[in-house]
Amino acid sequence: MSILRNRITTKLLTVASTLFGISVFVFVVLRVVPGDTISSSFGIETSALTPEKIASLKAYFGIDKSLLGQYWAWLSGFVSGNFGLSYHTGVPVTSLTLHSFPVTLELALLATLFGVTVGTMLGFYSASQPGGRRDFVGQIFGLLALSLPSFVLSTAIIAVSANKLHYFPNGFEYAPPWVNLGLNLQQMLYPAIVLGIAVAAPVMRTARSSFIEVQDKDFIRTAIGKGVNSRRVRFVHVLRNALNPIVTMTGIQFGYLLGGAVIVEQIFALPGMGRQILDGITKREYATVQSTVLVVAITFVLINLMTDFIYQKVDPRIR
Amino acid sequence: MLTLSKKGPKALVVAIVTALGISGAISLGVTSPASAAQTLNIGISADMDKLDPHTSTNFATVRILGLVYSELVESTPDLKIVPGLAKSWYWNSDSTQLDMYMRPGVKFQDGTPFTAADAKASLERILLPATGAASRGNLSLVTSITANRTQLTIKFSAPNAPFLAALDGVNMAMLSKKDIDAGLIGKKVNGTGPFKFTSWSPGTSVKLASNADYFKGAPAVAGLNFQIIPAESSILSALNAGTIDFSYIGNPAVAKQVGSNLVMQKTSSLSYHVLQLNARVAPFNNINVRLAIACAIDRQAVVDSAALGEGAPTGPLTMPAYRSSLKARPCATGDVTQAKKYLAAGGYPNGITIDVMTEGGEYALATPIALSVQSQLAKAGIKMNIQALDAATYIPKWLAGDFGAAVANNGGKVDPDTMYTRYFTSTGNLNKVAGYSSSTLDALFLKGKSTGNVTRRAAVYTSITKELETQAVWVWLFTPYDYYVSSKSLSGFTPNPNGSLLELRNVKLS
C-alpha cells in the first residue's frame, strides 16, 4: 500500500514540477524576445503614443508590475479558471480556449484514430513477412509518410480537391460538430488524413518491430504447437502482447498533435489551439500564449497518465 | 514463422476505404451550409485586431471597419477627394479655415442622427493624446473646432492645403458623440457606413449586414461574411471550389495561379517596398555608402526576381498625381561600376559588409526581396547579412530606429504631405525610423503644406523627391499590385489603390 502511495506521490510531484517548469519557461521566453503587447497593438503608430498613454496602456495590459507580480497574477488566475484577457479581441482567453480546444482535440483524435488504425495494420502486414515483399511495401510506406512534409501533402490534396473536383469544405466558415456535424466532419477529413499519415508512419514502424519480436517468443510457438487457431494466435496472443510500445507511441504522437498542428490548422483554416498560440505570439499576448500552452501541457500530461493506465490494462505484468 | 492470410491486404484496403467512405457518405448528404441569399462570402488571410477605428493600423481591421464607418470625405478609385458625410466645404482665402457642411438625414446604425457635434467630438477624440489615434498627426495644425447643427468650422495655425485628403480613411472615422462620451468606442461598433457590424468570432469570421439607411443608398447584397483562411493558397482554392465569392491577395505567386474560371482585377498599390537606410548609423551615415547601395540595385531586376515581374519600380511618391520620372534618379537602372566608385570614395575600396533586417510572417515578399538585393549588392562588393525577424520583434526595432538597414513594405497615402511629413521632417513622429532629416527637407515640406495650387505643389514634391534620392536617404524599390479575385457571379467592384473595400457597397451577386 505504501509502495503504491509512494508511486502516486512521485507521479504527482513529477507532473506538478513539469507543469511549473513549462509555465516558467514560456513566461520567461515571451519576455526575453523583443516587443510587447503595446508595440504589436499600435504598430508603427507606437511612436505617436505619449509617455502617459504608454504608462496607462502598460497598466491596462498588466505589464507594469514586476515580473514576479505578473507571473503570480497570471498563475493564480489560471488556477482559478481565469486564463486572462485577449486584449486585441476583448475576449477572455478561457472563452477563446473553450472554442479552440474542441477543434484541436477533435482533429487530434480523428488523426490518431486514422494513424493508429493504418499504422497498426501496416505494421502487422509488414511483420507477417519480415524481409519479404509485404515488409518492403510497409517499409516504403513508412519512409514516404515520414519524409513527406504535412504542408506539401495538404497543398497537394487541396489542389486536386478544390481545383479539379471543386470540393473544399474548409472554404466554408468553420462549423463546430454541435452546429453542423456533417460539415464539421467534412472540414476535419483532409487535415485528419494529413496528420494521420504522419502518425501512421512511426506507429507502423513500432508495431512492426513489436510484432516481429513477440511472434518469435516461446509462448507463441507453444500456442501454435498446442494447435490454437492461427487467427486467435495472431489477434489474441501476438497483438495483445505487442500493444505496449504501440500505446506508448500513440500517446506521444497524440500529445504532439495537440500543440504541433499549427501548419495544418493554418492551411485548412481550422481555428484550433495551434493558431491561437501562433496569433498570441505574433501579437505578444502573454496571457493567451501562457494559458494555451499550459492547457496543452496539462492535456499532454493527462494523456501520459492515461497511457500508463492503459499499459496496466493491456499488460498484466505491469500491474 | 507466423504468416498473415491473404485477407490481410484486403482488410487494410477495406479499413482505409471505410474510413474515407464514412466522411464521403456524410459529404454526400450535406450541401453547403445554410446562408442567407445574396450574402457575399469573402476570404481574408488575417483577422481583425480591434474595434476602435481611430487606433487600428491592422490592414484587415482598417478594411472591415472602413465598411462600417464613414468619414467626412472619401477618395474615389481614381483617388479624387469627394464628399462623404460632409456634403460641401469652403476654404477661406489663405487656407487657414475650413467650413464643412454636414449631409442632412444621416443616421448612425443605432438610429441616432449624425450632426456636426458628432464630427467635432470625433476630431477632438483623435486629437486627444490619450486616445493614441493613428492619424493624430494629420490634425497637427488645428487650433480650434466649432460646430453648430450642420456646420463644422476648423481653424489652422498655418495654411493647410492637404487637410481634405488627410480626412480620408477609417482612422478619421466619424463616431457618435454619445458613444464617445459613454466610453463605448472599441466595444460597440456604431457607424454610418454601408454595412452594420453583426458579429466577430476571433480567428473564424466577421459578419456584416447591409445598412438600409446608408446615405449613399443601401448595398445590393444582404451582407458580408469575412471568413478567415490564413493561407492565401487556400483562399484561392476556396474561390476555385466556389465556397467564397471574393478575396484580395497580396502574394503575386498565388495571384499567378488564378485561372480563367475566376475574375481578377489588378491595381497598382500606393504602398511601396523599400530598402530603408538609417543615415544616423554607421556605415550608412556615409553618403557614398548610401549612394553605392542605391547604384548597385537594379529595381526592375528586383521586381522580376522577387515579385515575378508583378510590380513597378518607383520613387518616393507612389500616387499618380505626384509620381516623378525615374530616369532622374542617380543610377536609374543600376550601375555596378558607379557603385564601386562611390564605395571607394566612401573609404571602402575593398568592399563592405552590412546587416539588413527583414520581417517574416505576413510580409510574404520580404525574404525574396532581401535575397534579390543581396545578390545584386554582392556584385558591387557589398556583402549583405540578412536578419530575418518576426513582426513583433521587427516593429519595435524599426520604431526605435534600432537598425542600420531594413527591407520594409510601407503604406502609401493619397497626398504626399500625409505620406511623408511624419517620416522626413525633423519633428515628424517617425523621423527616428526615417533616420534622416535636413533643414532643406523641413522647408520643402512646409512649403508643400501651404501650397494650394496643384501644379506648384507638384513642383515642390518633385524637389523633395530629388533631395531624397540624390541623398540616397532610402532606396525605393517598387510598388506592388493588389489583386482582387472574385467569382464570375460577382459584378460592380472597382478596386481602390488605397486598399479600401468601400466599393463592395456597389457589388451584385447574380
Side-chain angles (χ1 to χ4, degrees), chain B residues 274-277 283-284 289 292-294 296-298 302 305-306 343 350-359 363 365-389 394 403-408 475 477:
Chain B
V274 63
L275 177 63
Q276 288 186 209
L277 306 176
F284 307 105
V289 171
I293 292 169
I297 298 173
D298 176 354
V302 178
S305 56
L343 215 50
N350 300 318
I352 190 172
T353 300
I354 61 169
D355 294 330
V356 177
M357 69 171 190
T358 65
E359 179 196 335
Y363 184 10
L365 288 187
T367 303
I369 288 173
L371 290 171
S372 176
V373 169
Q374 185 185 46
S375 69
Q376 295 193 45
L377 292 182
K379 291 175 196 162
I382 302 169
K383 183 173 183 284
M384 172 175 146
N385 297 321
I386 300 172
Q387 299 172 322
L389 306 171
Y394 175 97
F403 62 91
V407 172
V475 183
L477 299 171

Short mmCIF file of all heavy atoms in Angstrom, two decimals, chain B residues 274-277 283-284 289 292-294 296-298 302 305-306 343 350-359 363 365-389 394 403-408 475 477:
data_model
loop_
_atom_site.label_atom_id
_atom_site.label_comp_id
_atom_site.label_asym_id
_atom_site.label_seq_id
_atom_site.Cartn_x
_atom_site.Cartn_y
_atom_site.Cartn_z
N VAL B 274 10.72 49.04 -49.93
CA VAL B 274 11.87 49.95 -49.84
C VAL B 274 13.00 49.32 -49.03
O VAL B 274 12.74 48.50 -48.14
CB VAL B 274 11.41 51.30 -49.20
CG1 VAL B 274 10.92 51.08 -47.77
CG2 VAL B 274 12.48 52.35 -49.23
N LEU B 275 14.22 49.68 -49.39
CA LEU B 275 15.35 49.34 -48.54
C LEU B 275 15.66 50.59 -47.73
O LEU B 275 16.21 51.57 -48.26
CB LEU B 275 16.56 48.93 -49.39
CG LEU B 275 17.84 48.61 -48.59
CD1 LEU B 275 17.65 47.41 -47.67
CD2 LEU B 275 19.02 48.36 -49.53
N GLN B 276 15.25 50.59 -46.47
CA GLN B 276 15.48 51.77 -45.63
C GLN B 276 16.92 51.77 -45.13
O GLN B 276 17.41 50.75 -44.65
CB GLN B 276 14.53 51.75 -44.43
CG GLN B 276 13.10 52.05 -44.77
CD GLN B 276 12.21 52.18 -43.54
OE1 GLN B 276 11.04 51.89 -43.62
NE2 GLN B 276 12.76 52.61 -42.42
N LEU B 277 17.57 52.91 -45.25
CA LEU B 277 18.93 53.06 -44.73
C LEU B 277 18.87 54.07 -43.59
O LEU B 277 18.25 55.13 -43.74
CB LEU B 277 19.87 53.56 -45.83
CG LEU B 277 19.87 52.74 -47.13
CD1 LEU B 277 20.77 53.40 -48.17
CD2 LEU B 277 20.34 51.32 -46.87
N PRO B 283 27.58 52.13 -41.28
CA PRO B 283 28.27 52.98 -42.24
C PRO B 283 27.31 53.83 -43.09
O PRO B 283 27.75 54.50 -44.01
CB PRO B 283 28.99 51.96 -43.13
CG PRO B 283 28.02 50.82 -43.18
CD PRO B 283 27.36 50.77 -41.82
N PHE B 284 26.00 53.80 -42.73
CA PHE B 284 25.03 54.48 -43.59
C PHE B 284 25.03 56.00 -43.38
O PHE B 284 24.34 56.74 -44.09
CB PHE B 284 23.63 53.89 -43.38
CG PHE B 284 23.60 52.40 -43.54
CD1 PHE B 284 23.52 51.56 -42.43
CD2 PHE B 284 23.71 51.83 -44.79
CE1 PHE B 284 23.54 50.19 -42.58
CE2 PHE B 284 23.72 50.45 -44.95
CZ PHE B 284 23.65 49.63 -43.83
N VAL B 289 28.43 55.55 -49.15
CA VAL B 289 27.98 54.16 -48.95
C VAL B 289 26.51 54.05 -49.37
O VAL B 289 26.11 53.10 -50.06
CB VAL B 289 28.14 53.75 -47.46
CG1 VAL B 289 27.47 52.40 -47.20
CG2 VAL B 289 29.62 53.68 -47.09
N ALA B 292 26.33 54.16 -53.07
CA ALA B 292 26.83 52.90 -53.63
C ALA B 292 25.74 51.83 -53.62
O ALA B 292 25.54 51.11 -54.60
CB ALA B 292 28.05 52.43 -52.84
N ILE B 293 25.02 51.78 -52.50
CA ILE B 293 23.94 50.79 -52.39
C ILE B 293 22.84 51.10 -53.40
O ILE B 293 22.34 50.22 -54.11
CB ILE B 293 23.39 50.77 -50.94
CG1 ILE B 293 24.45 50.21 -49.99
CG2 ILE B 293 22.10 49.95 -50.85
CD1 ILE B 293 24.13 50.38 -48.52
N ALA B 294 22.47 52.40 -53.48
CA ALA B 294 21.40 52.79 -54.40
C ALA B 294 21.79 52.47 -55.84
O ALA B 294 20.96 52.02 -56.64
CB ALA B 294 21.11 54.28 -54.25
N ALA B 296 23.93 50.16 -56.85
CA ALA B 296 24.16 48.73 -57.11
C ALA B 296 22.87 47.98 -57.40
O ALA B 296 22.89 46.86 -57.91
CB ALA B 296 24.86 48.10 -55.90
N ILE B 297 21.72 48.61 -57.07
CA ILE B 297 20.45 47.88 -57.18
C ILE B 297 19.70 48.27 -58.45
O ILE B 297 19.40 49.44 -58.68
CB ILE B 297 19.57 48.15 -55.94
CG1 ILE B 297 20.27 47.64 -54.68
CG2 ILE B 297 18.21 47.47 -56.09
CD1 ILE B 297 19.58 48.01 -53.39
N ASP B 298 19.40 47.26 -59.26
CA ASP B 298 18.55 47.45 -60.43
C ASP B 298 17.11 47.10 -59.98
O ASP B 298 16.79 45.93 -59.74
CB ASP B 298 19.01 46.52 -61.55
CG ASP B 298 18.10 46.58 -62.77
OD1 ASP B 298 17.05 47.27 -62.69
OD2 ASP B 298 18.43 45.94 -63.78
N VAL B 302 14.83 43.50 -59.30
CA VAL B 302 14.21 43.08 -58.03
C VAL B 302 12.75 42.69 -58.28
O VAL B 302 12.27 41.67 -57.79
CB VAL B 302 14.29 44.20 -56.97
CG1 VAL B 302 13.60 43.77 -55.68
CG2 VAL B 302 15.73 44.58 -56.69
N SER B 305 12.66 39.28 -60.14
CA SER B 305 13.02 38.07 -59.39
C SER B 305 12.16 37.88 -58.15
O SER B 305 11.61 36.80 -57.93
CB SER B 305 14.50 38.12 -59.00
OG SER B 305 14.76 39.30 -58.26
N ALA B 306 11.99 38.94 -57.36
CA ALA B 306 11.29 38.77 -56.08
C ALA B 306 9.78 38.74 -56.25
O ALA B 306 9.08 38.04 -55.52
CB ALA B 306 11.67 39.90 -55.12
N LEU B 343 31.75 53.50 -53.44
CA LEU B 343 32.26 52.74 -52.29
C LEU B 343 33.71 53.13 -52.00
O LEU B 343 34.09 53.33 -50.84
CB LEU B 343 32.16 51.23 -52.61
CG LEU B 343 31.82 50.28 -51.46
CD1 LEU B 343 30.61 50.74 -50.68
CD2 LEU B 343 31.61 48.88 -51.99
N ASN B 350 37.77 48.07 -50.80
CA ASN B 350 37.77 46.60 -50.83
C ASN B 350 36.42 46.00 -50.48
O ASN B 350 36.32 44.82 -50.16
CB ASN B 350 38.84 46.06 -49.87
CG ASN B 350 40.21 46.56 -50.26
OD1 ASN B 350 40.55 46.60 -51.45
ND2 ASN B 350 40.99 47.00 -49.28
N GLY B 351 35.42 46.81 -50.49
CA GLY B 351 34.08 46.28 -50.18
C GLY B 351 33.69 46.51 -48.73
O GLY B 351 34.49 47.01 -47.92
N ILE B 352 32.47 46.12 -48.41
CA ILE B 352 31.93 46.41 -47.09
C ILE B 352 30.88 45.34 -46.74
O ILE B 352 30.30 44.73 -47.64
CB ILE B 352 31.29 47.83 -47.09
CG1 ILE B 352 30.92 48.27 -45.68
CG2 ILE B 352 30.08 47.91 -48.00
CD1 ILE B 352 30.48 49.74 -45.62
N THR B 353 30.65 45.15 -45.44
CA THR B 353 29.61 44.21 -45.01
C THR B 353 28.52 44.99 -44.28
O THR B 353 28.83 45.83 -43.43
CB THR B 353 30.20 43.14 -44.06
OG1 THR B 353 31.21 42.43 -44.76
CG2 THR B 353 29.12 42.17 -43.59
N ILE B 354 27.26 44.75 -44.65
CA ILE B 354 26.15 45.44 -43.97
C ILE B 354 25.12 44.43 -43.47
O ILE B 354 25.02 43.32 -44.00
CB ILE B 354 25.43 46.46 -44.91
CG1 ILE B 354 24.84 45.75 -46.13
CG2 ILE B 354 26.39 47.56 -45.34
CD1 ILE B 354 23.91 46.63 -46.96
N ASP B 355 24.39 44.81 -42.43
CA ASP B 355 23.30 43.99 -41.91
C ASP B 355 21.97 44.62 -42.30
O ASP B 355 21.78 45.82 -42.15
CB ASP B 355 23.37 43.91 -40.37
CG ASP B 355 24.61 43.17 -39.90
OD1 ASP B 355 25.07 42.29 -40.65
OD2 ASP B 355 25.11 43.50 -38.82
N VAL B 356 21.05 43.80 -42.79
CA VAL B 356 19.72 44.30 -43.19
C VAL B 356 18.67 43.44 -42.50
O VAL B 356 18.70 42.21 -42.60
CB VAL B 356 19.53 44.22 -44.72
CG1 VAL B 356 18.13 44.66 -45.11
CG2 VAL B 356 20.57 45.08 -45.42
N MET B 357 17.76 44.08 -41.77
CA MET B 357 16.72 43.28 -41.11
C MET B 357 15.47 43.18 -42.01
O MET B 357 15.14 44.11 -42.75
CB MET B 357 16.38 43.82 -39.72
CG MET B 357 15.66 45.13 -39.67
SD MET B 357 15.10 45.45 -37.96
CE MET B 357 14.05 46.88 -38.23
N THR B 358 14.83 42.02 -41.94
CA THR B 358 13.60 41.80 -42.71
C THR B 358 12.54 41.25 -41.78
O THR B 358 12.84 40.68 -40.74
CB THR B 358 13.80 40.80 -43.85
OG1 THR B 358 14.11 39.53 -43.28
CG2 THR B 358 14.90 41.22 -44.79
N GLU B 359 11.29 41.44 -42.19
CA GLU B 359 10.17 40.96 -41.38
C GLU B 359 9.55 39.73 -42.04
O GLU B 359 9.22 39.76 -43.22
CB GLU B 359 9.12 42.07 -41.28
CG GLU B 359 7.91 41.68 -40.49
CD GLU B 359 6.74 42.64 -40.73
OE1 GLU B 359 6.97 43.79 -41.08
OE2 GLU B 359 5.59 42.18 -40.56
N TYR B 363 4.40 39.38 -44.27
CA TYR B 363 5.09 40.11 -45.33
C TYR B 363 5.79 39.08 -46.23
O TYR B 363 6.98 38.83 -46.09
CB TYR B 363 6.05 41.10 -44.71
CG TYR B 363 6.78 42.03 -45.67
CD1 TYR B 363 6.42 42.12 -47.01
CD2 TYR B 363 7.82 42.82 -45.23
CE1 TYR B 363 7.10 42.96 -47.88
CE2 TYR B 363 8.50 43.68 -46.09
CZ TYR B 363 8.14 43.73 -47.41
OH TYR B 363 8.80 44.56 -48.28
N LEU B 365 6.79 38.95 -49.28
CA LEU B 365 7.86 39.28 -50.24
C LEU B 365 9.16 39.71 -49.56
O LEU B 365 10.15 39.96 -50.24
CB LEU B 365 7.39 40.39 -51.18
CG LEU B 365 6.35 40.00 -52.24
CD1 LEU B 365 6.11 41.16 -53.19
CD2 LEU B 365 6.79 38.78 -53.02
N ALA B 366 9.16 39.81 -48.23
CA ALA B 366 10.34 40.35 -47.54
C ALA B 366 11.60 39.55 -47.86
O ALA B 366 12.63 40.12 -48.25
CB ALA B 366 10.10 40.38 -46.03
N THR B 367 11.51 38.24 -47.72
CA THR B 367 12.70 37.42 -47.95
C THR B 367 13.10 37.39 -49.42
O THR B 367 14.29 37.59 -49.74
CB THR B 367 12.47 36.00 -47.39
OG1 THR B 367 12.16 36.13 -46.00
CG2 THR B 367 13.70 35.14 -47.53
N PRO B 368 12.15 37.19 -50.36
CA PRO B 368 12.57 37.25 -51.78
C PRO B 368 13.23 38.58 -52.15
O PRO B 368 14.23 38.60 -52.87
CB PRO B 368 11.24 37.08 -52.54
CG PRO B 368 10.35 36.34 -51.60
CD PRO B 368 10.75 36.79 -50.23
N ILE B 369 12.70 39.69 -51.62
CA ILE B 369 13.30 40.99 -51.93
C ILE B 369 14.72 41.06 -51.35
O ILE B 369 15.67 41.47 -52.02
CB ILE B 369 12.43 42.15 -51.38
CG1 ILE B 369 11.15 42.28 -52.20
CG2 ILE B 369 13.20 43.47 -51.39
CD1 ILE B 369 10.15 43.26 -51.64
N ALA B 370 14.85 40.63 -50.09
CA ALA B 370 16.16 40.68 -49.44
C ALA B 370 17.18 39.84 -50.21
O ALA B 370 18.32 40.26 -50.41
CB ALA B 370 16.05 40.20 -48.00
N LEU B 371 16.75 38.66 -50.66
CA LEU B 371 17.68 37.78 -51.39
C LEU B 371 18.09 38.40 -52.73
O LEU B 371 19.24 38.32 -53.15
CB LEU B 371 17.02 36.41 -51.63
CG LEU B 371 16.86 35.56 -50.36
CD1 LEU B 371 16.01 34.33 -50.65
CD2 LEU B 371 18.22 35.15 -49.80
N SER B 372 17.12 39.05 -53.39
CA SER B 372 17.41 39.68 -54.68
C SER B 372 18.39 40.84 -54.49
O SER B 372 19.38 40.97 -55.24
CB SER B 372 16.10 40.18 -55.30
OG SER B 372 16.36 40.88 -56.48
N VAL B 373 18.13 41.67 -53.48
CA VAL B 373 19.02 42.80 -53.20
C VAL B 373 20.40 42.30 -52.81
O VAL B 373 21.44 42.83 -53.25
CB VAL B 373 18.41 43.69 -52.08
CG1 VAL B 373 19.41 44.71 -51.58
CG2 VAL B 373 17.16 44.41 -52.59
N GLN B 374 20.41 41.25 -52.00
CA GLN B 374 21.69 40.68 -51.53
C GLN B 374 22.57 40.26 -52.72
O GLN B 374 23.77 40.56 -52.75
CB GLN B 374 21.39 39.47 -50.65
CG GLN B 374 22.60 38.84 -49.99
CD GLN B 374 22.20 37.57 -49.24
OE1 GLN B 374 21.48 36.73 -49.77
NE2 GLN B 374 22.66 37.45 -48.01
N SER B 375 21.95 39.60 -53.71
CA SER B 375 22.75 39.11 -54.84
C SER B 375 23.26 40.28 -55.69
O SER B 375 24.36 40.23 -56.23
CB SER B 375 21.93 38.15 -55.70
OG SER B 375 20.90 38.85 -56.36
N GLN B 376 22.45 41.35 -55.78
CA GLN B 376 22.90 42.50 -56.58
C GLN B 376 24.00 43.29 -55.88
O GLN B 376 24.96 43.73 -56.51
CB GLN B 376 21.71 43.41 -56.88
CG GLN B 376 20.69 42.72 -57.76
CD GLN B 376 19.69 43.71 -58.32
OE1 GLN B 376 20.06 44.77 -58.79
NE2 GLN B 376 18.43 43.36 -58.25
N LEU B 377 23.86 43.45 -54.57
CA LEU B 377 24.88 44.19 -53.83
C LEU B 377 26.22 43.46 -53.87
O LEU B 377 27.29 44.08 -53.88
CB LEU B 377 24.44 44.40 -52.37
CG LEU B 377 23.25 45.34 -52.14
CD1 LEU B 377 22.96 45.49 -50.64
CD2 LEU B 377 23.52 46.73 -52.73
N ALA B 378 26.16 42.13 -53.88
CA ALA B 378 27.39 41.33 -53.89
C ALA B 378 28.25 41.68 -55.10
O ALA B 378 29.49 41.69 -55.02
CB ALA B 378 27.05 39.84 -53.88
N LYS B 379 27.60 41.98 -56.23
CA LYS B 379 28.34 42.30 -57.46
C LYS B 379 29.16 43.58 -57.29
O LYS B 379 30.17 43.78 -57.97
CB LYS B 379 27.38 42.48 -58.63
CG LYS B 379 26.71 41.19 -59.05
CD LYS B 379 25.69 41.49 -60.14
CE LYS B 379 24.74 40.33 -60.31
NZ LYS B 379 23.53 40.71 -61.03
N ALA B 380 28.72 44.45 -56.39
CA ALA B 380 29.45 45.71 -56.18
C ALA B 380 30.40 45.62 -54.99
O ALA B 380 30.96 46.63 -54.57
CB ALA B 380 28.44 46.84 -55.96
N GLY B 381 30.55 44.41 -54.43
CA GLY B 381 31.46 44.24 -53.30
C GLY B 381 30.82 44.55 -51.96
O GLY B 381 31.50 44.80 -50.98
N ILE B 382 29.48 44.56 -51.92
CA ILE B 382 28.79 44.81 -50.65
C ILE B 382 28.19 43.49 -50.17
O ILE B 382 27.29 42.94 -50.81
CB ILE B 382 27.68 45.87 -50.82
CG1 ILE B 382 28.29 47.17 -51.36
CG2 ILE B 382 26.95 46.11 -49.50
CD1 ILE B 382 27.27 48.18 -51.82
N LYS B 383 28.73 42.98 -49.06
CA LYS B 383 28.22 41.72 -48.52
C LYS B 383 27.06 42.04 -47.58
O LYS B 383 27.22 42.83 -46.64
CB LYS B 383 29.32 40.98 -47.76
CG LYS B 383 28.90 39.63 -47.22
CD LYS B 383 30.11 38.89 -46.63
CE LYS B 383 29.73 37.51 -46.14
NZ LYS B 383 29.01 37.51 -44.90
N MET B 384 25.92 41.49 -47.86
CA MET B 384 24.72 41.82 -47.06
C MET B 384 24.30 40.62 -46.22
O MET B 384 24.03 39.55 -46.74
CB MET B 384 23.58 42.22 -48.02
CG MET B 384 22.25 42.41 -47.36
SD MET B 384 21.04 43.00 -48.59
CE MET B 384 19.56 42.21 -47.99
N ASN B 385 24.28 40.82 -44.90
CA ASN B 385 23.76 39.77 -44.00
C ASN B 385 22.29 40.03 -43.75
O ASN B 385 21.90 41.16 -43.43
CB ASN B 385 24.50 39.80 -42.65
CG ASN B 385 25.97 39.48 -42.81
OD1 ASN B 385 26.33 38.62 -43.61
ND2 ASN B 385 26.81 40.19 -42.07
N ILE B 386 21.45 39.01 -43.90
CA ILE B 386 20.00 39.18 -43.69
C ILE B 386 19.64 38.74 -42.28
O ILE B 386 19.96 37.62 -41.87
CB ILE B 386 19.20 38.35 -44.72
CG1 ILE B 386 19.55 38.82 -46.14
CG2 ILE B 386 17.70 38.46 -44.47
CD1 ILE B 386 18.96 37.95 -47.23
N GLN B 387 18.99 39.63 -41.55
CA GLN B 387 18.50 39.27 -40.22
C GLN B 387 16.98 39.13 -40.31
O GLN B 387 16.26 40.14 -40.35
CB GLN B 387 18.83 40.38 -39.20
CG GLN B 387 20.32 40.62 -39.05
CD GLN B 387 20.62 41.84 -38.19
OE1 GLN B 387 19.92 42.84 -38.26
NE2 GLN B 387 21.65 41.74 -37.38
N ALA B 388 16.50 37.91 -40.38
CA ALA B 388 15.05 37.67 -40.52
C ALA B 388 14.41 37.67 -39.13
O ALA B 388 14.80 36.89 -38.26
CB ALA B 388 14.80 36.35 -41.22
N LEU B 389 13.45 38.57 -38.91
CA LEU B 389 12.81 38.69 -37.60
C LEU B 389 11.30 38.50 -37.74
O LEU B 389 10.74 38.75 -38.81
CB LEU B 389 13.08 40.09 -37.01
CG LEU B 389 14.54 40.52 -36.92
CD1 LEU B 389 14.62 42.00 -36.54
CD2 LEU B 389 15.28 39.68 -35.89
N TYR B 394 10.43 42.78 -35.13
CA TYR B 394 10.88 43.74 -36.15
C TYR B 394 10.33 45.15 -35.85
O TYR B 394 11.08 46.13 -35.89
CB TYR B 394 10.37 43.25 -37.51
CG TYR B 394 10.61 44.16 -38.70
CD1 TYR B 394 11.70 43.96 -39.55
CD2 TYR B 394 9.72 45.19 -39.00
CE1 TYR B 394 11.90 44.77 -40.66
CE2 TYR B 394 9.91 46.00 -40.09
CZ TYR B 394 11.00 45.80 -40.92
OH TYR B 394 11.18 46.60 -42.02
N PHE B 403 18.31 49.91 -36.08
CA PHE B 403 18.74 49.10 -37.23
C PHE B 403 19.62 49.97 -38.13
O PHE B 403 19.56 51.20 -38.07
CB PHE B 403 17.53 48.58 -38.02
CG PHE B 403 16.67 49.67 -38.63
CD1 PHE B 403 16.93 50.13 -39.92
CD2 PHE B 403 15.64 50.25 -37.92
CE1 PHE B 403 16.16 51.14 -40.49
CE2 PHE B 403 14.87 51.27 -38.47
CZ PHE B 403 15.13 51.72 -39.75
N GLY B 404 20.42 49.29 -38.95
CA GLY B 404 21.19 50.02 -39.94
C GLY B 404 20.43 50.12 -41.24
O GLY B 404 20.31 51.18 -41.85
N ALA B 405 19.89 48.98 -41.66
CA ALA B 405 19.09 48.94 -42.89
C ALA B 405 17.97 47.94 -42.71
O ALA B 405 18.10 46.99 -41.94
CB ALA B 405 19.97 48.55 -44.07
N ALA B 406 16.87 48.17 -43.41
CA ALA B 406 15.70 47.29 -43.26
C ALA B 406 14.92 47.22 -44.56
O ALA B 406 14.76 48.24 -45.24
CB ALA B 406 14.79 47.81 -42.14
N VAL B 407 14.46 46.02 -44.90
CA VAL B 407 13.52 45.89 -46.01
C VAL B 407 12.13 46.13 -45.41
O VAL B 407 11.78 45.54 -44.39
CB VAL B 407 13.59 44.48 -46.64
CG1 VAL B 407 12.47 44.30 -47.66
CG2 VAL B 407 14.94 44.27 -47.28
N ALA B 408 11.37 47.03 -46.02
CA ALA B 408 10.06 47.37 -45.44
C ALA B 408 9.01 47.50 -46.54
O ALA B 408 9.34 47.79 -47.70
CB ALA B 408 10.15 48.67 -44.66
N VAL B 475 16.36 53.54 -50.37
CA VAL B 475 16.35 53.04 -51.76
C VAL B 475 14.94 52.52 -52.04
O VAL B 475 14.58 51.41 -51.64
CB VAL B 475 17.41 51.94 -51.97
CG1 VAL B 475 17.43 51.50 -53.43
CG2 VAL B 475 18.79 52.43 -51.54
N LEU B 477 12.16 50.79 -53.96
CA LEU B 477 12.29 49.69 -54.91
C LEU B 477 11.12 49.63 -55.90
O LEU B 477 11.27 49.97 -57.05
CB LEU B 477 12.43 48.36 -54.15
CG LEU B 477 13.65 48.28 -53.21
CD1 LEU B 477 13.58 47.06 -52.34
CD2 LEU B 477 14.94 48.29 -54.02
#
